[in-house]
Short mmCIF file of all heavy atoms in Angstrom, two decimals:
data_model
loop_
_atom_site.label_atom_id
_atom_site.label_comp_id
_atom_site.label_asym_id
_atom_site.label_seq_id
_atom_site.Cartn_x
_atom_site.Cartn_y
_atom_site.Cartn_z
N GLN D 305 123.47 61.90 36.33
CA GLN D 305 124.52 62.81 35.86
C GLN D 305 125.76 62.06 35.45
O GLN D 305 126.14 61.09 36.11
CB GLN D 305 124.90 63.75 37.00
CG GLN D 305 123.81 64.71 37.41
CD GLN D 305 123.32 65.61 36.32
OE1 GLN D 305 122.17 65.52 35.92
NE2 GLN D 305 124.21 66.46 35.80
N GLU D 306 126.39 62.49 34.39
CA GLU D 306 127.67 61.92 33.99
C GLU D 306 128.76 62.78 34.60
O GLU D 306 128.83 63.97 34.39
CB GLU D 306 127.82 61.93 32.47
CG GLU D 306 126.71 61.12 31.81
CD GLU D 306 127.15 60.58 30.44
OE1 GLU D 306 127.82 61.32 29.72
OE2 GLU D 306 126.77 59.44 30.14
N ILE D 307 129.59 62.12 35.42
CA ILE D 307 130.66 62.85 36.14
C ILE D 307 131.99 62.56 35.47
O ILE D 307 132.38 61.39 35.33
CB ILE D 307 130.67 62.40 37.61
CG1 ILE D 307 129.30 62.56 38.27
CG2 ILE D 307 131.78 63.12 38.40
CD1 ILE D 307 128.78 63.99 38.32
N HIS D 308 132.69 63.63 35.09
CA HIS D 308 133.97 63.46 34.39
C HIS D 308 134.80 64.71 34.60
O HIS D 308 134.27 65.75 35.02
CB HIS D 308 133.73 63.19 32.89
CG HIS D 308 132.90 64.26 32.26
ND1 HIS D 308 133.46 65.47 31.84
CD2 HIS D 308 131.58 64.35 32.02
CE1 HIS D 308 132.49 66.23 31.34
NE2 HIS D 308 131.34 65.58 31.45
N PRO D 309 136.10 64.65 34.33
CA PRO D 309 136.93 65.85 34.46
C PRO D 309 136.39 66.98 33.54
O PRO D 309 136.05 66.71 32.41
CB PRO D 309 138.31 65.38 34.00
CG PRO D 309 138.30 63.90 34.24
CD PRO D 309 136.90 63.46 33.95
N VAL D 310 136.32 68.21 34.05
CA VAL D 310 135.86 69.29 33.18
C VAL D 310 136.94 69.56 32.14
O VAL D 310 138.13 69.47 32.43
CB VAL D 310 135.51 70.59 33.97
CG1 VAL D 310 134.41 70.34 34.98
CG2 VAL D 310 136.72 71.17 34.64
N GLU D 311 136.48 69.84 30.92
CA GLU D 311 137.41 69.92 29.80
C GLU D 311 138.55 70.87 29.97
O GLU D 311 139.70 70.58 29.63
CB GLU D 311 136.62 70.26 28.52
CG GLU D 311 136.34 69.02 27.68
CD GLU D 311 135.23 69.28 26.67
OE1 GLU D 311 135.30 70.36 26.01
OE2 GLU D 311 134.33 68.43 26.58
N ALA D 312 138.25 72.00 30.57
CA ALA D 312 139.28 73.04 30.70
C ALA D 312 140.43 72.59 31.61
O ALA D 312 141.51 73.20 31.59
CB ALA D 312 138.65 74.32 31.27
N LEU D 313 140.22 71.52 32.38
CA LEU D 313 141.29 71.06 33.26
C LEU D 313 142.08 69.88 32.67
O LEU D 313 142.94 69.30 33.32
CB LEU D 313 140.73 70.70 34.63
CG LEU D 313 140.05 71.84 35.37
CD1 LEU D 313 139.43 71.36 36.70
CD2 LEU D 313 141.02 72.98 35.65
N VAL D 314 141.72 69.54 31.45
CA VAL D 314 142.49 68.49 30.76
C VAL D 314 143.40 69.17 29.74
O VAL D 314 142.92 69.86 28.86
CB VAL D 314 141.53 67.50 30.04
CG1 VAL D 314 142.33 66.45 29.28
CG2 VAL D 314 140.58 66.84 31.03
N THR D 315 144.68 69.05 29.92
CA THR D 315 145.65 69.71 29.04
C THR D 315 146.73 68.73 28.65
O THR D 315 146.75 67.60 29.12
CB THR D 315 146.32 70.89 29.79
OG1 THR D 315 147.00 70.36 30.93
CG2 THR D 315 145.32 71.92 30.24
N GLU D 316 147.63 69.21 27.81
CA GLU D 316 148.74 68.35 27.39
C GLU D 316 149.60 67.94 28.58
O GLU D 316 150.04 66.79 28.70
CB GLU D 316 149.60 69.08 26.37
CG GLU D 316 149.97 68.20 25.19
CD GLU D 316 150.22 69.04 23.98
OE1 GLU D 316 151.38 69.46 23.82
OE2 GLU D 316 149.26 69.33 23.22
N THR D 317 149.82 68.91 29.47
CA THR D 317 150.66 68.62 30.62
C THR D 317 149.88 67.90 31.74
O THR D 317 150.46 67.33 32.65
CB THR D 317 151.27 69.90 31.21
OG1 THR D 317 150.21 70.85 31.38
CG2 THR D 317 152.35 70.45 30.31
N ARG D 318 148.56 67.98 31.66
CA ARG D 318 147.73 67.32 32.64
C ARG D 318 146.68 66.47 31.94
O ARG D 318 145.52 66.85 31.83
CB ARG D 318 147.08 68.38 33.55
CG ARG D 318 146.42 67.74 34.73
CD ARG D 318 145.97 68.68 35.80
NE ARG D 318 145.67 67.82 36.94
CZ ARG D 318 146.48 67.57 37.89
NH1 ARG D 318 147.63 68.17 37.99
NH2 ARG D 318 146.15 66.73 38.85
N PRO D 319 147.09 65.32 31.45
CA PRO D 319 146.11 64.50 30.70
C PRO D 319 144.96 64.03 31.57
O PRO D 319 145.07 64.06 32.80
CB PRO D 319 146.95 63.28 30.23
CG PRO D 319 148.27 63.37 30.94
CD PRO D 319 148.40 64.70 31.58
N ARG D 320 143.94 63.62 30.88
CA ARG D 320 142.75 63.21 31.61
C ARG D 320 143.01 61.98 32.49
O ARG D 320 143.52 60.97 32.00
CB ARG D 320 141.65 62.89 30.58
CG ARG D 320 140.37 62.49 31.21
CD ARG D 320 139.26 62.48 30.21
NE ARG D 320 138.13 61.76 30.79
CZ ARG D 320 136.91 61.75 30.27
NH1 ARG D 320 136.69 62.40 29.16
NH2 ARG D 320 135.92 61.10 30.86
N LEU D 321 142.69 62.07 33.79
CA LEU D 321 143.02 61.00 34.71
C LEU D 321 141.84 60.03 34.94
O LEU D 321 142.06 58.89 35.31
CB LEU D 321 143.39 61.58 36.07
CG LEU D 321 144.73 62.34 36.20
CD1 LEU D 321 144.90 62.86 37.61
CD2 LEU D 321 145.88 61.39 35.87
N TYR D 322 140.60 60.55 34.75
CA TYR D 322 139.46 59.71 35.15
C TYR D 322 138.48 59.50 34.01
O TYR D 322 138.27 60.39 33.18
CB TYR D 322 138.75 60.35 36.34
CG TYR D 322 139.64 60.51 37.56
CD1 TYR D 322 140.16 61.73 37.91
CD2 TYR D 322 139.95 59.38 38.31
CE1 TYR D 322 141.01 61.86 39.00
CE2 TYR D 322 140.78 59.51 39.42
CZ TYR D 322 141.32 60.74 39.75
OH TYR D 322 142.13 60.86 40.83
N LYS D 323 137.88 58.33 34.06
CA LYS D 323 136.81 58.02 33.12
C LYS D 323 135.54 58.79 33.52
O LYS D 323 135.46 59.35 34.60
CB LYS D 323 136.45 56.52 33.20
CG LYS D 323 137.53 55.57 32.83
CD LYS D 323 137.00 54.15 32.92
CE LYS D 323 137.88 53.38 33.87
NZ LYS D 323 137.73 52.03 34.14
N THR D 324 134.54 58.69 32.66
CA THR D 324 133.22 59.24 33.02
C THR D 324 132.52 58.20 33.89
O THR D 324 132.49 57.02 33.56
CB THR D 324 132.42 59.47 31.73
OG1 THR D 324 133.12 60.43 30.95
CG2 THR D 324 131.01 59.99 32.04
N VAL D 325 132.01 58.65 35.01
CA VAL D 325 131.28 57.72 35.90
C VAL D 325 129.84 58.20 36.09
O VAL D 325 129.53 59.37 35.92
CB VAL D 325 131.96 57.56 37.29
CG1 VAL D 325 133.33 56.93 37.16
CG2 VAL D 325 132.08 58.88 38.03
N LYS D 326 129.01 57.26 36.40
CA LYS D 326 127.60 57.53 36.67
C LYS D 326 127.25 56.73 37.91
O LYS D 326 127.80 55.64 38.10
CB LYS D 326 126.77 57.00 35.49
CG LYS D 326 125.88 58.08 34.85
CD LYS D 326 125.20 57.52 33.64
CE LYS D 326 123.86 58.21 33.46
NZ LYS D 326 123.18 57.80 32.25
#
Side-chain angles (χ1 to χ4, degrees):
Q305 295 301 116
E306 301 206 321
I307 304 299
H308 56 82
V310 300
E311 261 162 46
L313 299 177
V314 178
T315 60
E316 225 154 89
T317 50
R318 190 169 193 97
R320 181 168 167 169
L321 290 179
Y322 300 104
K323 297 182 237 184
T324 299
V325 295
K326 236 176 150 176

